[in-house]
Each structure stands twice: as C-alpha cells, then as structure tokens.
C-alpha cells in the first residue's frame, strides 16, 4: 500500500529517495576515484532496502556495530561483514556460529587481553578468526597507538595464535567536531597516515596486513588521497543530518531523513506550536548544541521539505514537540500552522532519529511513500 | 529460560523487581491515603508485566501517550484508557474504532479548533467521545489557562456538540525542574489548585465535570492534600532515575532500572574503560546536565547494583560507552575493570533508556532474570 506525506500516520521517518540516491552515488564515486573499496556502516539505517541501494552502487561488504546487524544482513544475503566494535569475550560463540553458517565475519580488538581470549577460543574450536587490530588515530575513543609497542604485541598474539590477522582499522570520530575544509582534510590525512603507519609496522615485523581500513563520513568526504588505504567505512553520509551540515560536508538540501509531524495544539501567547513528534520521534540527540549553529531539536520545514527559516523545534517531551521562531514570538502562529496541518523536521543526528522508528517511509519523486522496515535492539 | 546478570547478553535493561514493587506500593499507598484514584502512565515502560503489577496494586485505568499503547494494553485486557496527548484530527477514526471494539478510551483537547473537529467527527459517526479539557497549570507545554475564556468555550463546544465532557486534566511537567521539598509542595498545590479552579468554573457554567485529573511523579509524591482532585497520573515513579534522584523524590537505591554492560577495552593513559553500552543503550538523554548534580550518561555501579562513587559514563557513541572517574585518571582502571567484566549503569531518564530496548530483564531477589517484552514505535 502506498501513502503520501498527507496520509501517513505521524510521526513518521521519511527518506527522500532522490537525495539518498544522490548521497550514495556521491560517496561511491569518490571512493572509486580514490581507488579504495567502500564498506558502508549499516548501523545508521539497519534497513535492508537502504543497504541494497548501497551495494547496488558498488559497496563491497558492510560494517556493523552489533551481531544482530550481522545476523540480519547475513540472512539477507550479505556475506562479507566487519563487526567494528571490540569483541566482548562472551560474544565469541555467536561470532563462531555465524562463521560456521557461512558468514565471512571479521572481528576487531585493541588489547592483548582480548586478543588472547580470541586465540584461546579460536584454538579450542579450531577456528582461525579473521581479525583487524583497531588503531587510535585521533584519541577520541578506542584503539592502539600506531607507534606503540602494544600494536605489535596484539598482532603477534593473534598471528602466532593461529588467527587470521587481516590488518588494521581506525575511525577518526573526532572529525565530527571540526567545521572547516582545512581541518577536515588534515584530520583525513591524520587518519590515513596513522593507519598506514600501523600497517607498515606490522609488515616490517613480518606480520600479514592485507587490509588497511579507515573512515568516518567527514574524513571520507575530505580526504585528498588515500595512499596505502584499502577500504573506507562511513555510515551517516547516506542520509546526512544537521550535525553533518554544521561540519560542512553536506548542504541542507542533501539531508534525506526528516520526521513528518502533525500540529496538535498552540500556545499563542508564547508563539508555540505543539506537534506530535517529541523526543521519542526525534531522539534526545542534541549534537548541534556543541556546534557553531544550534538547531535545538531540529530544523522545521514545510511538508514540501523546504526549510522554514527561523523555525526550530525548541523543546521536546516524550510525544510532544514545541515548534517556535527562534528569534521571538510569531503572533500569527495559529493561522500559519493550524491544527491538523503537517510539518517536517530535519534531525540533529540521523542514526539516533532513525533508531526511534520501526520503519522508514521511503518517499519517491512522484510523492508516494513506501514502508521500509528497520530493526531495533541487540 | 532464566538467566542471571552474568549470563545475559549485553547491553541489557534490568529491572530490580524488589525496588519496582516498593516504588509501586509507595505511590499506590500515597494515593490511597490522599483519597484519589491512581492512573499510571504506561509510556514509561510499555510493558504488560509492569502494568499488571501496577493494576494488581490498585491502579484504576491507565494513561497512554500513543494510540499504539492504547491498542496494546486494550488487547491485554485494560479497558479504561486515557490518551493524554491532544488528539490530532486524523487520529479520530482510530479512536472511534477502539471505542467501537469496547475500549473505554478518553481523549483530550485544548483548543476550540480541535474541539470542533472532535464534535464534527463524533456527530458524523454517532459517537459521544468522552473528552477531558487540558489545563495549563505551570506554563511548561500544553493546555488552557484555568482562568481564561477559552477553557469555557472549549468545554461548551464539546458539551453542546453532544460529546461526553468528562472534566479537566493537567500535568505540571515543570516539577522536573525543581529540587527542594518546599518548591515541590508548592508546585503540587499550584497544579491541584489550578485544575480544581478550572473544574469549578466548568461546573459554575452548568457544565459537567466529574473528573479532575492531575499529576507528575514529583508532584504526586509531594502533594500534602488533593482536595477536589479525583485522580492522579504518574509514570516514571515505577522505575525512578537519576533525574528524579536530583529532583529529590527518590534515593539512589530506589532506582529500579539499570543497564548491564560488558567491558570491551581500555585507554589506560586516559583512565578510560570502554563498554558495550553506548547511547543506543542509554539513550541520548542528558537530563541531569541541567541539574545540580550532572551524572553525564549515567552512574556506574558494580554488578551487585552498588554505585561506584566517582565513576560515571562520561561519553557515549552508538555502541561504545566511556566509563571513567569524574575527578581524574584512575591509573588502576585495567585491573579494576578487566576485559569481559560487567558493570551496571543507572540512567538519566528511565523512559528514554527503556525505549531503546525490545525487552526488560526482570531481576528477582534470587538473582534470576526473566525477559519482559516491551513494544516500540507508533
């Protein structure tokens, strides 16, 4: 059954397909031009139809953040899967089971302790797990220093323990904190150079390192060259969002995800419109609050998707959003946005907003929408 | 199948049942003593087993924030349901359908425009919708001024239009911003007095007003009397959380919801532990950031539930959390929290954290856990 933006129940998470397809083509073309494989991170969407579009465009394999994602996409026919979160020892039996069923699952680690767990479990079950060693190129979260001793120790433990040491991977997540092309290019180069250095140190020590995997949406879209890198990973580029707009890697009209909401009330003295999308729909993500342009809970657009300058979602309760002008009271708010009328809200963070919904509504250029299920949980 | 905190997959949302039962009894006993009916807000949990415990303790009817909640709980045998979000006109057919199937669904409105939509639809379908008029007693969101003209206009439109005007309701959500017993008592009295004044104005105008419904967890637990009120609504009290702890209506060891997580890595130089609960598990809710005590993404506890003083979740990516001492670097962090060990995190906001999960794990006093499904979406 098809619907339109006027007949959908609200709140609804709408994907503008022409924008999504443009975003997918932009990234894949870039990766092709830079001579690297592209492995999209599917944690952003957890949606088979979106991932199919990424694969159709040329993606090779996928990146996941949970074994549930691996299960779901393997069931859907994706075999080459990188689980890009350091593996907890209690998840090794599940990883083994996936591999025994034919999933080419690669795992990652960044400690000798965890590498030893992988080796002990792999040897006990006669499984040579493919493993990437996680490298820290920007200090924002996990990984080993590319120039440190532990990098080689971890690689050695895996290799000598009989695991399939595939190489190194990194994610320069601190690129989300930048907002100039120069800083982004520099971070992309830092990410590339650090990961390639780690790879070269492994090779110099006589260890195998066929894979050099890097990526984040901002660095993938800013790198000028990727010498020594074999693959790039990125996720949020498929939809983009207000945080990425502030980082400077997309325009407002590249943002492919929005939430359709219905006006349910007004507080005219305050210039407020009450809508039926609260934080349960938008998520509590306030990523733009730390950026140069704070969009509160989201940029308000008309149902045609055109931003209404100055109107933001300024507050959110569970199922209520408050829409208002950011620069003062709009005395005409009741007539402008009557009860029952509809708005669209661009989100701070597409990964967080999408995760609030059981399905996307994929909006074609002809105005029809189609439900695209997404999954949830672990 | 039963599990324990040591065998559950992580992240998991755990309910400590003895705490939950104590919280339920505390609220119900208070409402019994104050001589009012209690109608729990089920948006916090969306979980049949939790709501059954609330009903077993004496709750009369439930409050919902979506028609999906109404559908699910009506299917589970709850008939008396208040949908406490101003109804969007496009949802009236769904509300009608629920009523025709035997659900005693009450809806709310706070505008003449919306009241007219209800009347027009109700008359067209020969349905006298039961309706409460929403009153604004604290300026935080929706509702009509108790002393204003529109209150009477809306009530009159409904009554003269043949709808079943049931009375008035309010929610003093700004009570979440308070943190002293005096301020909370004053807000509870403001909520009560405003709603009772609205009811008296309706009655003085010859309009029916059998129901006077108020409530929020902080005001429900702070009111000294509820003269003129017929029922109270509250939701988060069933679990409590760090925001409620800061408001001052619960102790740390009343918090019944926590997230169990596994240690997956370290950054020893920074004193960081990396765990497998990120914002996808905790939610992005940072409710305590505006309070006198900021718990960042949550208070870290041992697996026994005892808070580890000074350890907070200080950062969160999608599936990674960063745990650290808030007052400096713990040089012993690797040995203290080894790879594979487990922690529990108390959340800022139980409604938001619970919503990230497909099920709760209900932890009995004997240490066994049982999966309690919850639903999601609209």
């Amino acid at each position: 059954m098809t619907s339109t933006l006027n007949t959908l129940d609200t709140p609804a998470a709408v994907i503008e397909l022409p924008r999504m397809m443009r975003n997918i083509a932009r990234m894949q073309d870039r990766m092709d031009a830079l001579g690297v494989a592209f492995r999209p991170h599917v944690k952003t969407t957890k949606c088979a139809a979106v991932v199919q579009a990424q694969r159709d465009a040329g993606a090779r394999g996928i990146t996941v953040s949970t074994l549930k994602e691996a299960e779901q996409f393997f069931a859907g026919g994706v075999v080459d899967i990188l689980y890009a979160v350091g593996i907890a020892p209690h998840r090794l039996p599940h990883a083994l089971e996936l591999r025994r069923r034919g999933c080419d699952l690669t795992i990652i680690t960044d400690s000798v302790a965890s590498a030893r767990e992988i080796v002990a479990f792999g040897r006990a079950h006669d499984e040579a797990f493919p493993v990437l060693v996680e490298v820290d190129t920007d200090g924002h979260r996990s990984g080993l220093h590319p120039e440190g001793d532990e990098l080689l120790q971890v690689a050695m433990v895996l290799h000598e323990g009989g695991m399939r040491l595939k190489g190194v991977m990194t994610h320069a997540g601190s690129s989300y904190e930048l907002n100039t092309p120069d800083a982004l290019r520099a971070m992309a180069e830092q990410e590339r150079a650090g990961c390639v250095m780690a790879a070269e140190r492994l090779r110099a020590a006589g260890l195998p390192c066929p894979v050099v995997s890097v990526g984040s949406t901002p660095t993938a879209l800013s790198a000028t060259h990727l010498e020594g890198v074999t693959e790039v990973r990125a996720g949020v580029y498929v939809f983009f969002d207000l945080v990425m707009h502030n980082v400077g890697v997309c325009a407002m009209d590249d943002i492919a995800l929005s939430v359709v909401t219905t006006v349910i009330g007004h507080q005219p003295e305050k210039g407020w419109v009450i809508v039926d999308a609260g934080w349960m729909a938008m998520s509590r993500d306030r990523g733009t609050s730390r950026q140069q342009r704070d969009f509160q809970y989201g940029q308000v657009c008309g149902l045609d998707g055109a931003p209404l300058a100055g109107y933001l979602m300024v507050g959110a309760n569970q199922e209520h959003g408050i829409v208002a002008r950011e620069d003062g009271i709009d005395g005409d708010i009741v007539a402008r946005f009557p009860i029952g009328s509809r708005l669209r809200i661009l989100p701070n963070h597409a990964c967080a907003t999408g995760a609030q919904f059981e399905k996307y509504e994929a909006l074609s250029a002809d105005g029809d929408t189609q439900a695209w299920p997404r999954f949830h949980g672990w």
Side-chain angles (χ1 to χ4, degrees), chain A residues 162-182:
Chain A
M163 300 301 105
R164 186 146 68 88
L165 179 63
K166 280 183 75 178
V168 289
M169 62 84 72
T170 194
H171 165 60
S174 61
S175 62
Y176 282 49
E177 293 155 27
L178 308 176
N179 59 21
T180 67
D182 283 352

Side-chain angles (χ1 to χ4, degrees), chain A residues 22-155:
Chain A
R22 193 170 73 208
N23 297 339
I24 289 173
R26 175 181 168 203
M27 181 65 85
Q28 187 65 54
D29 288 352
R30 236 187 109 70
M31 296 301 107
D32 291 348
L34 289 165
V36 294
F38 181 58
R39 181 186 291 278
H41 206 317
V42 303
K43 74 180 178 68
T44 300
T45 69
K46 305 196 186 196
C47 173
V50 175
V51 173
Q52 190 58 52
Q54 293 170 307
R55 295 175 74 204
D56 289 346
R60 283 184 255 166
I62 62 171
T63 312
V64 301
S65 68
T66 64
L67 290 185
K68 179 165 186 175
E69 292 162 49
E71 283 286 356
Q72 296 272 331
F73 286 103
F74 177 58
V78 183
V79 173
D80 176 1
I81 299 179
L82 170 62
Y83 171 43
V85 175
I87 190 145
H90 78 271
R91 271 194 262 278
L92 286 164
H94 189 178
L96 175 66
E97 197 209 314
L98 271 160
R99 289 192 55 77
R100 292 273 158 93
R101 284 189 271 139
C103 177
D104 184 13
L105 183 76
T106 297
I107 60 178
I108 73 167
T109 178
D110 70 351
S111 70
V112 169
S114 161
R116 286 191 178 132
E117 297 266 8
I118 295 167
V119 166
F121 184 85
R123 294 177 81 127
H125 296 85
D126 204 21
E127 180 70 30
F129 282 105
V131 190
L132 295 178
V133 181
E134 186 173 10
V135 177
D136 178 16
T137 50
D138 69 344
H140 88 288
R141 187 172 72 198
S142 301
L144 293 164
H145 293 303
E147 70 281 21
D149 290 341
E150 203 176 352
L151 174 78
L152 294 180
Q153 288 162 16
V154 170

